[in-house]
Amino acid sequence: MSRKQKTPRWLKAARRRKTPVVPGERADWLARALGRAGVMPRAEAERAILEGRVEVDGRVEREPFAPVSPRAEVRVDGQVRSLDAPLIVLMFHKPAGPVVAGWDREGVGTVFERLRAVLPAELQGFEWYAVGRLDRDTTGLLLFTNDERLVQHGTSPEAHLPKCYVATVAGHPTLAALRMLRDGLVLEDGPTRPAEAQLLAPDCVELVLTEGRRHQVKRMLAAVGYPVRTLHREAVGRLVLDVPEGACRRLTDAEVAETLEFSSE
Ligand code: URA
């Protein structure tokens, strides 16, 4: 029996209110719009809305999923707050340990907690989305953004944004193994796209992929006989990791456009 698809809560709220979709205008719901604009993170915004602290165009709004226009006048605790949302992208150097998920059943912690611990005060109000995933034990470049369209761009198979990984492996990969990695091989979820592969040391492989399937680097190296011992992501697009472990920095608009080939226009 096929499982019935659940209608998202924001869509139900929009239908209930018969909100017209304005062509060219970005559809959004109140709690998410507050998070994207940096007024307060989404969970906090939901609480504030339920507590009756948020007004939209002069009326208290108690529905976190209420559709909202970017031009609405929004007040939080009586203060006018803009819903204008600049595109913000952060480079974060993920240490081994935290999980790329909203919560961690193993109690080591999440990358979102690690990020918030090092964010300057002016960036604390945003809701952050990780652009793709890294395994718990993988270190290196993880991007965060307040804009889901960048998440889509960074993770979509169509964008083909290259991701550069450095893996230390068990054994010394042969030229034949490198050739298989480059040509593409068949994993249980299908063939891999051609990749760049080169040895940086007898037991260290640099692999550049233009796709990002689950555990892909580990599975590719295991498939050619060299299981991964450590894995580090060095670059995404033309953006190379340049902050110390655990630290983050905000990218300039030019970096986002040039290295990640993304524009919010
Ligand atoms: N490939 C993997 O196997 N793990 C990662 O964390 C990223 C890519």
Side-chain angles (χ1 to χ4, degrees):
M1 202 172 79
S2 72
R3 240 195 310 148
K4 213 175 152 215
Q5 278 242 307
K6 251 180 106 177
T7 309
R9 288 175 66 186
W10 61 269
L11 189 54
K12 279 190 194 159
R15 284 182 184 154
R16 245 191 337 266
R17 285 157 193 254
K18 301 192 173 62
T19 313
V21 175
V22 180
E25 192 169 89
R26 200 164 172 195
D28 218 338
W29 72 83
L30 186 54
R32 187 170 74 168
L34 290 169
R36 185 189 290 126
V39 177
M40 57 182 109
R42 219 163 81 186
E44 221 176 285
E46 286 182 12
R47 275 196 301 277
I49 295 164
L50 293 171
E51 287 165 6
R53 292 163 44 209
V54 180
E55 286 168 54
V56 178
D57 293 331
R59 291 177 51 186
V60 172
E61 177 57 75
R62 287 180 185 272
E63 166 61 88
F65 292 93
V68 67
S69 151
R71 290 170 284 100
E73 188 193 76
V74 174
R75 288 175 188 265
V76 179
D77 297 325
Q79 306 245 339
V80 175
R81 305 302 302 261
S82 166
L83 291 185
D84 284 344
L87 167 69
I88 304 186
V89 187
L90 305 174
M91 164 191 289
F92 177 68
H93 187 153
K94 180 191 177 296
V99 70
V100 184
W103 63 286
D104 178 20
R105 75 177 80 161
E106 290 181 29
V108 179
T110 72
V111 289
F112 298 96
E113 291 159 356
R114 300 292 180 102
L115 176 73
R116 286 211 181 273
V118 295
L119 274 183
E122 70 272 16
L123 296 179
Q124 290 285 349
F126 288 89
E127 177 72 20
W128 295 108
Y129 302 94
V131 182
R133 311 190 80 182
L134 291 177
D135 296 335
R136 190 190 279 281
D137 56 354
T138 301
T139 60
L141 176 54
L142 182 61
L143 297 170
F144 287 94
T145 180
N146 63 330
D147 193 323
E148 304 90 327
R149 289 174 301 177
L150 178 63
V151 177
Q152 170 67 20
H153 171 74
T155 55
S156 115
E158 285 82 46
H160 297 323
L161 207 59
K163 282 131 193 151
C164 174
Y165 296 91
V166 175
T168 56
V169 296
H172 294 172
T174 58
L175 285 178
L178 293 178
R179 211 170 301 120
M180 284 166 74
L181 294 168
R182 286 182 196 131
D183 292 348
L185 36 92
V186 180
L187 299 176
E188 61 276 17
D189 54 353
T192 63
R193 292 169 56 83
E196 289 172 33
Q198 61 166 328
L199 280 184
L200 301 182
D203 66 345
C204 183
V205 182
E206 184 187 82
L207 202 54
V208 181
L209 305 183
T210 53
E211 55 187 342
R213 280 139 61 178
R214 203 170 147 70
H215 306 313
Q216 186 166 348
V217 173
K218 290 177 183 166
R219 289 192 291 137
M220 286 175 73
L221 283 161
V224 295
Y226 300 95
V228 167
R229 290 210 161 122
T230 67
L231 184 58
H232 179 80
R233 184 156 70 187
E234 191 53 37
V236 173
R238 287 192 296 281
L239 183 71
V240 180
L241 182 64
D242 61 12
V243 295
E245 192 168 273
C248 81
R249 75 171 176 88
R250 182 173 171 176
L251 303 186
T252 63
D253 292 347
E255 275 180 304
V256 174
E258 286 157 23
T259 64
L260 302 178
E261 297 165 20
F262 180 78
S263 149
S264 56
E265 301 312 317

